[in-house]
Amino acid sequence: MSKIRIAIIGLGYVGLPLAVEFAKKYPVMGFDIKQDRVDALRKGLDETLEISDDELKSVLSSDKLPAAGNTPGLFLTTNARDLASANYYIVTVPTPTDKNNRPDLTPLIKASETIGHVLKQGDIVIYESTVYPGATEEDCVPVLEKVSGLIFNKEFFAGYSPERINPGDKEHTVTKIKKVTSGSTPEAAKKVDKLYRSIIIAGTHLASSIKVAEAAKVIENSQRDINIAFVNELAMIFNRMGIDTHEVLEAASTKWNFLSFKPGLVGGHCIGVDPYYLAQKAQEYGYHPEIILAGRRLNDNMGRYVASQVVKLMIHKELKIKGAKVIMLGITFKENCPDIRNTRAVDIVNELKQYGLEVEIHDPWVDPEEVMHEYGLKCLPKLNGNHYEAIILTVAHDQFQSLNLKKLSSSSSTVVYDVKGVLKKDKVDGRL
């Protein structure tokens, strides 16, 4: 493949690591609609912490468009016209759900419109965003055709290669995770696969069609969601029986084929969202998915369940409820990363407030301004006292593992609840 010029649309948790890896071998244009995001990246600063400052700076090009030649490097822009010289377009924008849990393809459609204005004969557009089977060819391609005036599979082509980024994971990085690839024609599929194979150390798997690749991605996270829902339900059952769920799972895990999942909150941009995409498409085909949606309902209610358990423990210890102070440790959707997208930790806060408790939040990984903007919640920049009647460990950040909880407690009766099951059993009053 000669003179490859790549444009990455969307520079978040998925797009930036991909852009950096490709920029080590090819001219890459990174596009994002957020000017402040692009400005920070130009300075070598990645607020998602997925890419180190040194690695980012090592691939940044000058203000001159790298696509003018074949020199590797990453050019960053908010100007869609700068993408015109690319011949591979890779879309890595979010695919969220709306307030009714229905798929929202707006970012994907907008990205397709942006590409359509600069699309040329022979170009290939590759989507990485998680979608339901058929979205690439049925929802995105028509937009590309309409805006560009080009004919699909004659004048331009499409591919789908689902993202497999695991935020905060420094071991399973983008090049070390096997990549599923696909294309709209056999020839396009080969080109897409060869492009990714040039940077993915773990190798690729060429799917037989775009729909197969789309379906593979959406079931990956649906499967995890259902398994976590199962252990969450077990946790609620065993709690009534007075049995420690984590001890049960530890014992069961001694069998070689037991799948080891732990109870907890299920948020983030994938596991808590993707099952709704599959469910929506299934319903369009006249099938009502029972297991998928049952798992979603159960997981979406875990925040309320945690809050109710904390309140019950406080009542058992004869602590006051209304006006009691609670500290929640962690608000990101997972440990050791600053990602607050679709975090279910906020459900605990909202439910506790319904009981009349005063909840404070501390998370050393987040930007307090972002939390306030997204959820209207204030985060303490640092822990500041020992006046809490309840302490809830919501996220297992490394910084929380060595905390002296006694220094946060208002008395020896303070309730300590461990959502993640990482604290010593004799140090907590309850855990999932």
Side-chain angles (χ1 to χ4, degrees):
M1 292 183 293
S2 60
K3 297 184 179 179
I4 290 174
R5 296 178 296 277
I6 302 168
I8 307 287
I9 317 301
L11 298 174
Y13 283 86
V14 175
L16 181 65
L18 193 66
V20 168
E21 288 302 327
F22 273 126
K24 295 173 182 178
K25 297 193 68 171
Y26 309 107
V28 176
M29 290 151 283
F31 172 85
D32 202 286
I33 60 173
K34 297 179 181 178
Q35 187 66 55
D36 56 347
R37 171 68 170 160
V38 170
D39 289 343
L41 292 176
R42 283 173 175 166
K43 296 176 183 177
L45 303 174
D46 171 28
E47 63 183 13
T48 70
L49 305 181
E50 291 299 301
I51 301 296
S52 70
D53 296 350
D54 290 341
E55 185 176 15
L56 178 56
K57 290 175 182 177
S58 71
V59 297
L60 288 177
S61 69
S62 63
D63 290 339
K64 184 179 179 182
L65 278 171
N70 291 321
T71 304
L74 176 60
F75 172 81
L76 301 164
T77 184
T78 57
N79 187 347
R81 291 191 296 271
D82 290 338
L83 310 178
S85 60
N87 47 22
Y88 285 87
Y89 295 87
I90 302 178
V91 180
T92 60
V93 298
T95 42
T97 54
D98 63 19
K99 63 180 181 180
N100 297 312
N101 293 323
R102 292 175 301 196
D104 180 6
L105 296 182
T106 302
L108 211 56
I109 299 303
K110 293 291 185 183
S112 299
E113 290 173 348
T114 297
I115 295 170
H117 286 296
V118 293
L119 198 62
K120 306 174 302 302
Q121 189 159 330
D123 289 352
I124 297 178
V125 184
I126 306 166
Y127 292 87
E128 289 213 1
S129 307
T130 303
V131 292
Y132 45 72
T136 298
E137 292 158 297
E138 297 166 12
D139 296 290
C140 300
V141 166
V143 175
L144 294 172
E145 284 189 306
K146 181 179 179 180
V147 176
S148 69
L150 300 176
I151 301 172
F152 179 50
N153 280 342
K154 287 189 177 180
E155 296 174 297
F156 76 93
F157 305 88
Y160 184 79
S161 181
E163 60 92 357
R164 282 180 166 172
I165 294 293
N166 188 25
D169 189 338
K170 302 308 178 186
E171 180 181 353
H172 301 97
T173 52
V174 61
T175 64
K176 298 176 183 177
I177 303 173
K178 196 163 190 173
K179 203 83 161 70
V180 174
T181 63
S182 64
S184 55
T185 67
E187 184 60 30
K190 290 178 182 178
K191 289 182 178 180
V192 171
D193 190 68
K194 188 174 182 181
L195 178 68
Y196 281 103
R197 271 194 290 115
S198 69
I199 65 163
I200 304 298
I201 299 171
T204 60
H205 174 88
L206 180 56
S208 60
S209 69
I210 286 177
K211 284 186 178 181
V212 167
E214 291 169 326
K217 171 57 180 176
V218 81
I219 70 165
E220 288 175 17
N221 289 319
S222 296
Q223 183 187 65
R224 285 185 56 79
D225 192 44
I226 291 167
N227 278 294
I228 296 171
F230 173 59
V231 293
N232 276 338
E233 188 164 63
L234 291 179
M236 290 187 280
I237 294 170
F238 293 146
N239 178 61
R240 293 191 175 205
M241 295 179 176
I243 302 173
D244 187 283
T245 304
H246 291 270
E247 292 181 0
V248 174
L249 294 173
E250 183 181 0
S253 294
T254 59
K255 190 168 187 282
W256 77 92
N257 59 353
F258 181 81
L259 300 178
S260 183
F261 287 88
K262 292 184 178 180
L265 305 176
V266 183
H269 66 296
C270 286
I271 301 178
V273 173
D274 296 357
Y276 288 121
Y277 275 76
L278 183 56
Q280 168 81 12
K281 202 62 177 178
Q283 289 168 340
E284 289 180 13
Y285 279 80
Y287 181 82
H288 181 75
E290 297 186 21
I291 294 177
I292 294 172
L293 292 179
R296 278 284 73 237
R297 285 192 298 271
L298 195 146
N299 284 340
D300 275 349
N301 280 300
M302 289 309 293
R304 297 183 185 92
Y305 176 77
V306 168
S308 71
Q309 293 301 297
V310 171
V311 171
K312 287 178 181 178
L313 289 167
M314 293 177 70
I315 293 173
H316 181 73
K317 287 193 170 187
E318 298 183 347
L319 293 170
K320 69 173 183 176
I321 301 301
K322 187 174 182 180
K325 288 186 176 294
V326 179
I327 181 70
M328 192 175 81
L329 301 174
I331 196 170
T332 60
F333 91 89
K334 65 177 293 187
E335 66 275 3
N336 301 326
C337 84
D339 197 344
I340 62 171
R341 290 174 296 173
N342 192 38
T343 174
R344 301 324 318 162
V346 298
D347 297 340
I348 299 176
V349 179
N350 295 334
E351 190 71 9
L352 289 174
K353 287 182 177 180
Q354 293 295 313
Y355 285 101
L357 283 81
E358 296 180 11
V359 185
E360 294 184 343
I361 304 164
H362 172 65
D363 193 317
W365 280 84
V366 302
D367 177 357
E369 291 185 6
E370 185 182 3
V371 176
M372 175 60 70
H373 178 265
E374 290 296 324
Y375 300 107
L377 297 173
K378 182 180 178 181
C379 274
L380 299 176
K382 62 180 181 178
L383 295 170
N384 58 3
N386 59 344
H387 52 278
Y388 299 106
E389 281 77 42
I391 302 168
I392 306 174
L393 178 68
T394 316
V395 188
H397 293 318
D398 288 344
Q399 292 95 324
F400 293 154
Q401 305 290 327
S402 59
L403 269 182
N404 187 340
L405 299 182
K406 287 185 178 180
K407 290 186 177 181
L408 298 175
S409 305
S410 62
S411 70
S412 59
S413 297
T414 291
V415 167
V416 178
Y417 193 91
D418 182 7
V419 173
K420 298 298 292 184
V422 294
L423 300 176
K424 292 183 178 179
K425 186 180 177 180
D426 61 353
K427 302 294 184 182
V428 302
D429 298 284
R431 60 180 180 173
L432 277 180

